[in-house]
Amino acid sequence: MSHAVIPFSLKDAPALIERLLPVQKLSAEAYKEQMAVQSKTLTALGSYWKGRKPLILNKACILGCLLPATDDPKRDLEIFEKLMAMDDESLAARMPRRPKPMEILSSLSIANISNYFKIEPEGVLPVSSPVDWSKSEYKSVKVSWRNDISELQRRRLEAQMLPKVAYRELVDAVKRAEEVMYTVHDHIWESVNVHLGTDAHSYPELIEQIGIMRFGHCPRLADTFCGSGQIPFEAARLGCEVFASDLNPVACMLTWGAFNIVGSSETKREKLTIEQQKLTRFVQTEIDTLGVETDGKGWKPKAFLYCVEVRCPQSGWMVPLIPTRIVSKNKGTIAELLPDPKHKRYDIVIRSGLTEKQMAKAKQGTVRTDGKGQDPYLIHVVDGMEYRTKISTLRGDYRKGDGSSGNRLRLWEKSDFKPRPDDIFQERLYCVQWMRPKKQGKGYETQFRSVTPDDLERDRIIENFLSEHLPDWQSNGYIPDMRIELGAETARLSRERGWTHWHHLFTPRQLLFLGLSKKYIQDKCESKAALLLLFARLVDWSSKLCRYGTGAARESIAQTFYNQALNTLFTYGVRSFTFASSYLLEEFNYSKIHGTATVMPCEARVLNTQHDIYITDPPYGDAVNYDEILDFFIAWLRKNVPSEFANWIWDSRRTLAIKGSDEDFRRGMVDAYKRMTECMPENGMQVIMFTHQSGSIWADMANIVWAAGLQVTAAWYVVTETDSALREGSY
């Protein structure tokens, strides 16, 4: 077989990604990775960051920029697919279980069995296969691989046993390439080196050698909109020298975690595990001392269900705002509202074991909409009379003469951590889910119960504790004291609830265990930076914005950022620390980092270092207001930061953020990409990953690229999100 001849210098050689990219196979691989959801490599650091680009896609872009396009495109593609573990031999190694020799012999036609396998006793089997193992004379035969059979030879045989199906279906059946990344490439290096003129036996060696041939040094890759760190992490894992930056410190913290937690050494991992355990023990001990997470009979709380409660202006009754009275479909549990005419309120009784017919009646609660996305109503019935009031009317919404709006909600103060008695919206605990270890077997048994005076007393203990400690804890940075800066996404917090400071988004119970966690991290532990990432993850799963959902099989409490918005809720779920502590005990899929990595929070348009390749996933117009919503975390993290983050600006710096879809957005993007262009060599490259539904935003991106002095040499459409697009061949 002839191979393309590649000169030692690749300085002026076109990059592979400019000529070809196997988008159909790459789409299937990217979709598989996305469907791994919480099992994805970096998601455990914080799933609150959305829109992560698949690592397999990042790898393809990095390799595509470095590998040359030769005069043999077919072989170029073959080598690229070997490096991406898309070739048949790699797919064989990615199967969940590799076939045994006897399985191979029963399935394949092999001219001479002894060329591959040792047979005991000798001479029993026929010379060639397939072999019919049902014959009695073969029952005592043992078959094993010959010691001199190479990994490549073995995989070539195994590859012949792959199902004869479309690549997408085959990818569904195998492991992700990164799950076997340290063994899947064992067979490729001879053919890769012949084609590329290299002498590599690992990715870091290949990346360094190709980088020297193309740029004169190990390739320097930068991502100036690093987000959660997907692109720089993959680049460093391959062996590039990496620079990652983002305006927002939360993004930089996640990227730092990718390198220093997921990519940490075994010694550091062991140290972090010990620190995680010490942290959870400290917080649990403090909570147990207060006695607020036990019923005294062997049960511990798993979840507390709260609702907003309001006085109906027509009837004068206090009414819980509950969109559905169903608590658990699995256990047939509902919240029954029992009128208390004497006090003009409702007792809430939790009943379980109901029939499907009874459950159907409970589907509708006291909050309803007209089905047209309009303002919801409070609806309840007293003595046969139905009272219906818009939620906006309860708030007292009005328009001012200047066109602005307002309402009658009291704006909470810094010292508040619960509603005052005369506030329009009150907060009420209406159900507790309890758990205890099963008497036999593993796991827990659970039950939902009505709220008792003892439950309310435990809440009062927490409130009294916070009343005593809140000023000091806010001063020391254990609990936020930061005001909510109004914006397109954050204005609703004060408009819909009257909340003015970030700690208002948390119940007293959540403030207690989050404050204790922050106190330990800040004052007592060594791995402060790493534990802060886990703490931020706990914060995401522990606010009044966490929906409680009733599924057919189980009930669950969602995270705050199940989408990229700050949605106020009428009902919400609160985890106990016993249940929530798992977010501090996260175990990671560790991965080796081979290249150097620098993380720095700064604007893309003030870049002052040279890089050979830029791969970026830029802001999407006005799609996500990260500059606003990430204040949710900054409020908790900004005080007394660890040394690793000490020189960072712990502020969202909204005025500097590139966002919107108008001229300011376009100008900011042009400035950023123009600066990247100025900080790259003549043969440098940029790859822009972009996802948006708006055609006008796509047109803006094209103009931005041209205005920055760049020339588009290729465009590829890769499906990453929907299975239907894969099945329809939308590439």
Side-chain angles (χ1 to χ4, degrees), residues 225 617-624 657-659 665 669 673 690 692 697 701:
F225 300 106
D617 182 10
Y620 299 162
D622 57 356
V624 183
I658 300 174
K659 63 177 183 175
F665 167 71
M669 291 287 279
Y673 281 96
F690 199 67
H692 207 284
I697 293 288
M701 281 304 301

Side-chain angles (χ1 to χ4, degrees), residues 419-489:
R420 295 182 185 177
D422 56 350
D423 281 344
I424 292 173
F425 290 132
Q426 297 295 308
E427 295 168 358
R428 179 177 179 180
L429 176 65
Y430 72 93
C431 177
V432 182
Q433 183 184 21
W434 295 87
M435 64 181 184
R436 70 179 179 187
K438 291 181 178 178
K439 294 180 180 179
Q440 293 183 341
K442 298 180 180 179
Y444 292 85
E445 58 177 313
T446 63
Q447 59 180 227
F448 293 92
R449 300 183 201 163
S450 303
V451 175
T452 67
D454 287 343
D455 295 324
L456 298 178
E457 177 58 27
R458 284 186 279 270
D459 270 7
R460 275 192 288 272
I461 291 172
I462 294 172
E463 291 167 4
N464 291 338
F465 182 92
L466 278 181
S467 295
E468 180 182 350
H469 292 88
L470 184 67
D472 179 59
W473 277 23
Q474 287 183 320
S475 176
N476 285 305
Y478 306 150
I479 285 179
D481 60 0
M482 181 173 147
R483 289 192 66 87
I484 299 171
E485 185 179 346
L486 298 184
E489 186 57 43

Side-chain angles (χ1 to χ4, degrees), residues 124 196 206 231 275 287 326 373 452 495 524 528 598 658:
V124 177
L196 297 177
L206 178 69
I231 296 170
E275 291 274 21
I287 287 174
I326 294 176
T452 67
R495 183 178 66 248
K524 297 189 177 183
K528 289 182 172 61
T598 302
I658 300 174

Side-chain angles (χ1 to χ4, degrees), residues 19-126:
R19 301 285 177 85
L20 60 86
L21 194 68
V23 291
Q24 186 169 356
K25 290 185 177 181
L26 186 55
S27 294
E29 297 278 4
Y31 178 73
K32 181 180 179 68
E33 182 178 331
Q34 295 293 67
M35 290 302 100
V37 194
Q38 298 294 333
S39 298
K40 291 188 287 187
T41 302
L42 299 185
T43 301
L45 292 171
S47 57
Y48 47 84
W49 194 278
K50 308 301 180 184
R52 296 168 180 265
K53 290 298 181 286
L55 293 172
I56 191 75
L57 176 60
N58 302 334
K59 181 178 181 179
C61 291
I62 295 163
L63 286 176
C65 289
L66 290 171
L67 296 178
T70 75
D71 56 1
D72 187 352
K74 181 181 178 182
R75 188 58 176 165
D76 288 344
L77 181 59
E78 290 173 356
I79 294 300
F80 181 79
E81 290 185 350
K82 286 180 183 293
L83 288 165
M84 293 295 297
M86 295 175 175
D87 60 303
D88 286 348
E89 289 76 24
S90 293
L91 289 167
R94 290 169 58 185
M95 291 296 287
R97 185 184 68 82
R98 298 179 72 172
K100 296 177 181 178
M102 296 178 72
E103 293 172 321
I104 294 174
L105 291 181
S106 64
S107 303
L108 301 182
S109 295
I110 300 175
N112 193 332
I113 295 175
S114 62
N115 285 345
Y116 298 94
F117 301 103
K118 291 188 296 185
I119 311 298
E120 297 181 65
E122 293 183 12
V124 177
L125 290 184

Side-chain angles (χ1 to χ4, degrees), residues 190-244:
E190 182 179 353
S191 54
V192 168
N193 289 330
V194 170
H195 184 68
L196 297 177
T198 51
D199 181 25
H201 294 88
S202 67
Y203 257 112
E205 291 177 2
L206 178 69
I207 295 300
E208 181 179 24
Q209 291 175 32
I210 292 292
I212 291 172
M213 294 162 73
R214 188 173 282 282
F215 303 114
H217 50 254
C218 187
R220 299 166 185 158
L221 184 145
D223 177 6
T224 55
F225 300 106
C226 66
S228 60
Q230 300 283 120
I231 296 170
F233 173 75
E234 187 61 29
R237 189 158 68 166
L238 291 175
C240 297
E241 295 179 7
V242 175
F243 175 85

